[in-house]
Amino acid sequence: YVADLIRDGSTIEIGIGRVSSAVLKSLGDKRDLGIHSGVVTDELVPLIERGVVTNSRKTKHRGVSVATSAIGKTRTFYDWLDHNAVVEFYPADYTHAARTIAAIPNFVAVNSALQVDLTGQANSEQVGPVPIAGVGGQLDFVRGAHLSRGGKSIIALTSTLNGINRIVPNVQTVSVTKSDADFVVTEYGVASLKGKSLTERALELINVADPGYRERLKYHFARG
């Protein structure tokens, strides 16, 4: 579903984790993608070697993938990256800056979350009382994508994790506000939220929740 939202020639930002890895592996039939991200990972290598990622349509840093850091699973990845001119690294105050991202047309920010509520707010930081991460650059890229001509922001997550529902009535912590919400994707489809009323948003999100939780979510929404 995420791959269907990414057009040929788009420049993408993507985070880390199992969902992000799966998304990158699903892009094999795309053409002339660009990378401008906070991080690059192992999954970038086959996309470059197969000519999927060429960065040829970027208006900034044409022909080069741009990131702030690298997080690899293998030594092979770091050996490939070492002195490789097709990847350049810049400070976060440049890569994450709204003015930088806004200058890149068709910029697609792909991030994950722990929870999304029925208004579109996303929690990427806390499980119960336990903070497990900071928001990092997620909100920078979400807002930068909105400023990009033809840009879009996608929050991708599995509908449940270890049997716990992740489309919820209310999130515990707000990492991405409802006014920043654009697309939310689960294994059940795509919720398109931008420009929608709160009622329309709730219905979109219930439709991509796990079927076993949908009636419960409808009940919570009806009670307000």
Side-chain angles (χ1 to χ4, degrees):
Y1 291 120
V2 174
D4 287 343
L5 293 171
I6 298 174
R7 300 187 298 270
D8 290 345
S10 298
T11 295
I12 63 173
E13 171 269 331
I14 196 159
I16 58 173
R18 288 182 296 176
V19 171
S20 297
S21 177
V23 169
L24 286 169
K25 290 176 181 177
S26 74
L27 299 177
D29 63 346
K30 301 296 178 180
R31 299 180 61 185
D32 295 329
L33 295 181
I35 298 291
H36 181 101
S37 190
V39 62
V40 289
T41 60
D42 302 68
E43 289 79 16
L44 175 63
V45 179
L47 294 177
I48 289 178
E49 292 181 340
R50 291 166 55 189
V52 175
V53 170
T54 64
N55 294 287
S56 62
R57 301 194 200 178
K58 290 169 70 174
T59 55
K60 299 174 72 72
H61 306 287
R62 192 182 299 274
V64 175
S65 293
V66 169
T68 298
S69 59
I71 300 178
K73 306 182 189 76
T74 65
R75 177 57 184 265
T76 302
F77 170 65
Y78 290 108
D79 288 342
W80 174 88
L81 198 60
D82 186 33
H83 288 86
N84 194 330
V86 300
V87 182
E88 293 180 353
F89 293 91
Y90 293 87
D93 61 358
Y94 172 75
T95 56
H96 295 48
R99 64 183 177 275
T100 303
I101 300 167
I104 306 171
N106 301 313
F107 187 91
V108 182
V110 183
N111 293 283
S112 193
L114 300 168
Q115 300 172 311
V116 174
D117 72 18
L118 294 181
T119 71
Q121 296 179 137
N123 165 24
S124 306
E125 303 171 64
Q126 190 161 326
V127 176
V130 182
I132 63 170
V135 69
Q138 182 179 70
L139 191 56
D140 295 316
F141 285 111
V142 167
R143 290 181 170 170
H146 287 306
L147 295 172
S148 162
R149 178 172 51 84
K152 61 186 69 169
S153 169
I154 301 167
I155 300 294
L157 70 165
T158 55
S159 63
T160 61
L161 182 63
N162 298 325
I164 299 173
N165 188 34
R166 302 173 81 186
I167 305 296
V168 296
N170 302 103
V171 294
Q172 298 166 327
T173 297
V174 178
S175 306
V176 177
T177 69
K178 64 180 181 291
S179 60
D180 292 304
D182 195 354
F183 295 96
V184 174
V185 178
T186 75
E187 69 272 31
Y188 292 106
V190 178
S192 178
L193 307 182
K194 190 174 182 179
K196 301 286 178 66
S197 70
L198 292 179
T199 297
E200 291 168 331
R201 285 167 176 247
L203 294 174
E204 289 267 346
L205 287 158
I206 289 169
N207 285 336
V208 300
D210 183 280
Y213 290 94
R214 291 179 188 174
E215 289 303 316
R216 196 177 312 177
L217 289 169
K218 289 177 183 177
Y219 173 76
H220 279 288
F221 176 71
R223 292 190 62 187

